[in-house]
Amino acid sequence: MHNSKLVNLLFTLDKPTWSKCKNIVQNQYRDTSNERKMFEYFYKYRNDLKHKNITKKAVFAHITPKGTGHTFKNTTSRLCKTIEDFVIHDELDHENYLWNRQYILSRYYKKKGMNKHFLAEINSAIDREAKESDYSIFKNIRQFLLLHEAAFSEIDSEKMVGYFNKSIGNLSKFYHNMKTLYEVEEECGNNLFNKGLKTKPDPDDNVLTEFTSHMMKLVQRKSDSSFKILRNQLESLSTANTEMLAQLTLTYLINHCYYKIKQGEDAYAQEVLDLYDHGLNSNILLSYGKISETGFLNIVEVKTKFAPKINHQNFVDQWIDLVETDHISTVKNIAEAYILFSSEKYKETFRLLNNMVTQQANTNLYLRARWMTICCSYSLYEKYGNLIKVLDTHRRFFTRHKKEMSRESHLGSMNLIKVIKMLRKGMSKLEIQKFVESTPVMMRYWINKEIKKCPVHLGTGTANGVGGKLDSSYVLSANEAQDPSPKLS
């Protein structure tokens, strides 16, 4: 048994680690378990693992005299795995402990949607790594891994660009540093041993390279065939090791569909719905069995946009308990508001959102509620003056909360207000379309539907309904809540 994996692994333990390992085994296995008996037998000979009593027969007799060879094999295997797990944790405590800890924690916070804690860990780790010696060979790759996590996360787009550029820079430095070292080794090896070492890669037969080239063609809008190829291969990206590639591929495919729909190819609407369904059913869109708050509401919004005649309440009821959020009732209200909104039930939508308590909700939630409420106001406020008062209330809110919003989100919110004013002012259809196509605008799909309803030259008029008051549940001041309220009954 001296040459077994288990005994060889035990040989690597020094005196302090033997004691720590013993505590782990004792905590994990009960007193009478075979695994604990086996470890305690080896522990007795920890200073002399080459002792003549370290034999399969002797160990077997100690742990289970009446057992079978199968029992002994399973016991050895389980104990070996336990000790391997202990060694991994012990190494994490010593080898680059702080980096390992922060990297693992940051990835956990990211998956759980704890963005504030995620960025705190990432930035702390990045700052600490930056102080490392420039002669540390793996400094740049560690920096790259941290920056990569930040670049591909749900953060402000401007910050994402900064992380992305720094990530590429560190990867490039690591590549060039290692390439130079390998070339030195090549030269040394050729001179000393004439082995013909080579640092140049073999001809490119990398499947992943071919796959990513199709991704590039897709995002550059150069090949519709790449969409079909990636769509078909998405089915095979189902293992843990391909999780990130599957998520990116799904994102690029969905974005391509949006682009095609914008170009007037309505057939891609069904593709979007199918892709989201695949993402849910294959767990690509799930993390630890949960779907993010943003991901869930995005899917509900898309489903209600492109399939408004279908009752999506069953979908909401099926998935709502799996949403990772601290505001489950608010998320459900907003999801149900999307359903009502897509059916042009603006009174019901307004009533549902206007009665929500959003002070404790996060930015993602209260912005969605506001965007829908603004659109509802267009139909519910008959008098132009009252509509303008309400829109100005929202405008002041977006101005006050600008720092909490991304640049695109803030600009798109202000432009949404501007477009509604343009519609009600009677500006020409072509002029409104030109503006909408040239700048970020929230609720673009709804706006395009409203533009289509209008004649080429709009006349100044009013929408159906009469005009309004906005509830203080939208964090409005007392003065801002004094406009006349819409009639909802």
Side-chain angles (χ1 to χ4, degrees), residues 9-35:
L9 187 59
L10 292 171
F11 259 117
T12 67
L13 305 182
D14 55 22
K15 186 174 181 179
T17 47
W18 264 108
S19 298
K20 289 192 287 185
C21 189
K22 181 182 179 182
N23 291 334
I24 295 295
V25 173
Q26 288 177 338
N27 288 332
Q28 186 164 337
Y29 299 106
R30 64 182 187 275
D31 294 349
T32 57
S33 68
N34 291 336
E35 291 79 13

Side-chain angles (χ1 to χ4, degrees), residues 1 6 10 25-26 28-43 56 58-80 82-83:
M1 197 172 182
L6 177 59
L10 292 171
V25 173
Q26 288 177 338
Q28 186 164 337
Y29 299 106
R30 64 182 187 275
D31 294 349
T32 57
S33 68
N34 291 336
E35 291 79 13
R36 186 155 170 179
K37 289 179 183 177
M38 181 179 283
F39 180 83
E40 289 174 347
Y41 185 86
F42 286 123
Y43 188 80
K56 181 176 180 180
V59 176
F60 196 180
H62 176 76
I63 66 168
T64 174
K66 296 180 181 180
T68 64
H70 187 66
T71 303
F72 182 83
K73 182 179 180 181
N74 287 342
T75 301
T76 304
S77 177
R78 284 192 292 267
L79 181 58
C80 190
T82 298
I83 296 173

Side-chain angles (χ1 to χ4, degrees), residues 77-90:
S77 177
R78 284 192 292 267
L79 181 58
C80 190
K81 184 179 183 303
T82 298
I83 296 173
E84 286 177 333
D85 290 341
F86 161 74
V87 168
I88 290 170
H89 285 283
D90 195 56

Side-chain angles (χ1 to χ4, degrees), residues 120-387:
E121 287 293 338
I122 283 289
N123 289 328
S124 173
I126 289 172
D127 290 343
R128 187 180 56 78
E129 282 295 319
K131 297 174 184 177
E132 286 288 314
S133 168
D134 288 334
Y135 293 101
S136 174
I137 294 176
F138 294 102
K139 172 183 175 178
N140 293 121
I141 198 63
R142 289 197 296 268
Q143 286 274 59
F144 163 75
L145 290 170
L146 293 165
L147 291 160
H148 168 82
E149 292 297 330
F152 289 91
S153 61
E154 295 180 2
I155 60 173
D156 183 277
S157 58
E158 292 181 17
K159 291 181 180 177
M160 187 198 74
V161 170
Y163 285 123
F164 190 88
N165 289 337
K166 290 179 182 177
S167 177
I168 290 293
N170 276 277
L171 182 61
S172 178
K173 286 179 182 178
F174 176 75
Y175 168 77
H176 288 295
N177 290 340
M178 294 306 294
K179 185 173 183 293
T180 303
L181 283 174
Y182 272 64
E183 287 172 347
V184 171
E185 283 296 303
E186 176 188 29
E187 188 66 25
C188 180
N190 287 338
N191 289 340
L192 292 177
F193 311 111
N194 195 27
K195 295 289 185 181
L197 301 177
K198 57 180 181 179
T199 55
K200 293 182 179 178
D202 291 326
D204 191 7
D205 57 355
N206 191 331
V207 172
L208 182 57
T209 300
E210 182 181 353
F211 188 91
T212 52
S213 70
H214 283 298
M215 294 172 78
M216 179 62 77
K217 290 177 183 177
L218 187 72
V219 298
Q220 291 178 337
R221 319 296 183 203
K222 290 183 177 180
S223 173
D224 286 338
S225 62
S226 290
F227 176 87
K228 295 178 182 177
I229 291 170
L230 294 174
R231 179 67 180 88
N232 292 334
Q233 292 184 348
L234 184 62
E235 308 288 337
S236 63
L237 301 178
S238 58
T239 65
N241 291 334
T242 59
E243 178 183 353
M244 180 188 168
L245 188 62
Q247 291 171 344
L248 288 175
T249 304
L250 183 64
T251 300
Y252 297 150
L253 288 170
I254 289 172
N255 288 344
H256 185 77
C257 289
Y258 286 147
Y259 171 77
K260 287 294 186 179
I261 292 168
K262 190 176 179 181
Q263 300 300 309
E265 299 187 40
D266 294 338
Y268 278 87
Q270 186 59 49
E271 283 282 5
V272 172
L273 299 177
D274 292 343
L275 285 166
Y276 271 125
D277 285 340
H278 174 76
L280 289 171
N281 295 329
S282 63
N283 292 332
I284 294 175
L285 293 173
L286 303 184
S287 177
Y288 294 104
K290 293 281 190 176
I291 182 171
S292 71
E293 177 186 280
T294 299
F296 172 74
L297 289 175
N298 284 348
I299 294 172
V300 174
E301 184 180 9
V302 168
K303 283 180 172 288
T304 56
K305 275 182 186 176
F306 298 142
K309 295 182 180 180
I310 297 175
N311 184 358
H312 297 290
Q313 187 64 48
N314 290 339
F315 175 85
V316 173
D317 293 339
Q318 177 185 355
W319 290 96
I320 189 65
D321 291 335
L322 297 180
V323 178
E324 186 76 31
T325 180
D326 294 326
H327 311 283
I328 193 69
S329 60
T330 304
V331 171
K332 187 174 184 181
N333 280 342
I334 292 176
E336 291 175 344
Y338 276 128
I339 297 173
L340 294 170
F341 185 80
S342 67
S343 301
E344 299 186 6
K345 296 179 180 178
Y346 299 130
K347 292 180 182 179
E348 292 87 343
T349 305
F350 189 97
R351 185 183 296 116
L352 177 61
L353 296 178
N354 206 40
N355 289 333
M356 283 171 45
V357 180
T358 59
Q359 288 95 331
Q360 295 179 348
N362 57 33
T363 307
N364 170 49
L365 297 180
Y366 68 64
L367 286 179
R368 288 176 185 269
R370 276 188 173 269
W371 293 330
M372 272 191 280
T373 304
I374 290 170
C375 295
C376 290
S377 300
Y378 173 70
S379 294
L380 296 176
Y381 288 80
E382 181 181 46
K383 296 180 181 179
Y384 180 73
N386 288 337
L387 175 62

